[in-house]
Amino acid sequence: MRKKLIAGNWKMNNDVEESLKLIKSLLTSELNEDVDVLICPAFTSLYPVIHELKNSSIKVGAQNMHFEDKGAFTGEVSPSMLKSLGVEYVIIGHSERRQHFGETDKIINKKIKACLKHGLKPILCVGESLEQREAGIEKETVRAQLIKDLDGVTDGLKIVVAYEPIWAIGTGKTATSHQANEMSSYIRAVLADIFTVDIADNILIQYGGSVKASNAKEIMEQSHIDGALVGGASLIADEFIKIINY
Ligand code: PEP
């Protein structure tokens, strides 16, 4: 039985004060117990957020990390640093990192392996651009990403996959629940090829792309969708709480 995971990707938003205010709103609200809730703040808010959530079931993740343990990588943060803070998940290969920071599938593959080596759970983001969907190559695009990003990965049960069509991220355009479920089902079939059917059946596949309170229920009810990766709407306490309580 796959328990749904609803994650808030705050991106480069919220200073410490704003982060704690948002966390307090979550802590003082009734949240759907059938869902695991995950918050992914900026690096600077990780420690205070983890501290604030220490007696709560809300989980904390990072939005990125380097694949090396330590060394001369100015400005980077290592998996062991995140682990020592109490971080549980790390978003890996978000389309904004692929697009703006030149992250290739090779780098993403190293990051996934480094996460698993340090007992962190990677949320691997995959998804096609609008041009790729219009050209009818969305499935082969996502398949190629999964195969390259998971090359040599053996611990399939520790990963989460987020299907995030790039054309739906931060645009207000959402994939229809049918499109999202169809791709999630396809992703599960690819995961069965990479791992085994049993493992693929137990991997969480989230949908991400303009999820909001008004469309969360329909998306979450799809048979192959096991939660959501929420950007913009996770910054608004009431909206995010409604998504969790869909
Ligand atoms: C994201 O950043 O992963 C995302 C899905 O953003 P948004 O919900 O704003 O589209």
Side-chain angles (χ1 to χ4, degrees):
M1 182 65 190
R2 304 188 299 263
K3 187 172 181 186
K4 295 215 185 312
L5 176 67
I6 296 185
N9 172 17
W10 289 357
K11 311 194 187 193
M12 198 174 69
N13 294 292
N14 290 335
D15 62 20
V16 171
E17 200 182 321
E18 290 161 338
S19 299
L20 292 177
K21 193 168 165 228
L22 201 38
I23 291 299
K24 281 205 181 92
S25 305
L26 295 178
L27 286 174
T28 50
S29 304
E30 273 205 31
L31 302 179
N32 185 351
E33 287 181 3
D34 295 334
V35 163
D36 279 328
V37 178
L38 170 66
I39 302 298
C40 301
F43 286 130
T44 46
S45 288
L46 279 173
Y47 184 73
V49 164
I50 287 171
H51 184 74
E52 197 68 18
L53 289 175
K54 67 177 181 300
N55 296 318
S56 133
S57 59
I58 300 177
K59 299 161 187 296
V60 181
Q63 299 172 17
N64 179 36
M65 57 166 222
H66 199 275
F67 50 80
E68 293 288 353
D69 282 354
K70 58 179 162 183
F73 300 101
T74 302
E76 291 293 322
V77 172
S78 78
S80 53
M81 289 169 185
L82 295 177
K83 186 72 187 171
S84 73
L85 273 185
V87 164
E88 203 177 329
Y89 290 83
V90 188
I91 298 172
I92 301 286
H94 191 282
S95 60
E96 287 156 13
R97 294 214 57 85
R98 293 180 191 252
Q99 192 184 337
H100 304 306
F101 301 96
E103 281 198 15
T104 60
D105 290 306
K106 207 167 184 169
I107 294 171
I108 290 163
N109 178 250
K110 286 186 184 177
K111 291 188 176 190
I112 298 275
K113 287 176 175 161
C115 266
L116 295 170
K117 180 176 155 205
H118 288 87
L120 295 160
K121 297 174 196 158
I123 298 181
L124 167 61
C125 300
V126 293
E128 80 286 359
S129 64
L130 186 58
E131 295 70 38
Q132 288 163 330
R133 181 159 280 266
E134 283 175 352
I137 56 166
E138 67 275 15
K139 284 191 176 144
E140 58 196 271
T141 301
V142 168
R143 182 183 181 86
Q145 288 172 336
L146 287 167
I147 287 174
K148 289 184 207 156
D149 299 346
L150 295 173
D151 182 43
V153 173
T154 50
D155 221 348
L157 288 175
K158 303 253 166 66
I159 64 163
V160 175
V161 176
Y163 168 54
E164 297 211 309
I166 298 169
W167 48 272
I169 296 179
T171 58
K173 280 188 203 157
T174 320
T176 63
S177 50
H178 175 74
Q179 283 172 323
N181 198 45
E182 195 188 13
M183 182 62 94
S184 300
S185 160
Y186 178 72
I187 288 172
R188 206 174 294 291
V190 176
L191 292 172
D193 288 345
I194 296 172
F195 302 109
T196 64
V197 172
D198 271 3
I199 290 177
D201 276 348
N202 285 291
I203 293 178
L204 298 186
I205 301 175
Q206 297 177 308
Y207 168 76
S210 300
V211 174
K212 39 192 181 277
S214 57
N215 59 23
K217 186 171 165 59
E218 191 182 337
I219 290 167
M220 236 63 83
E221 280 174 353
Q222 302 303 311
S223 57
H224 285 282
I225 298 180
D226 309 314
L229 184 52
V230 186
S234 72
L235 298 170
I236 307 159
D238 285 356
E239 186 77 6
F240 192 51
I241 290 163
K242 281 187 193 147
I243 292 172
I244 294 166
N245 293 337
Y246 69 91

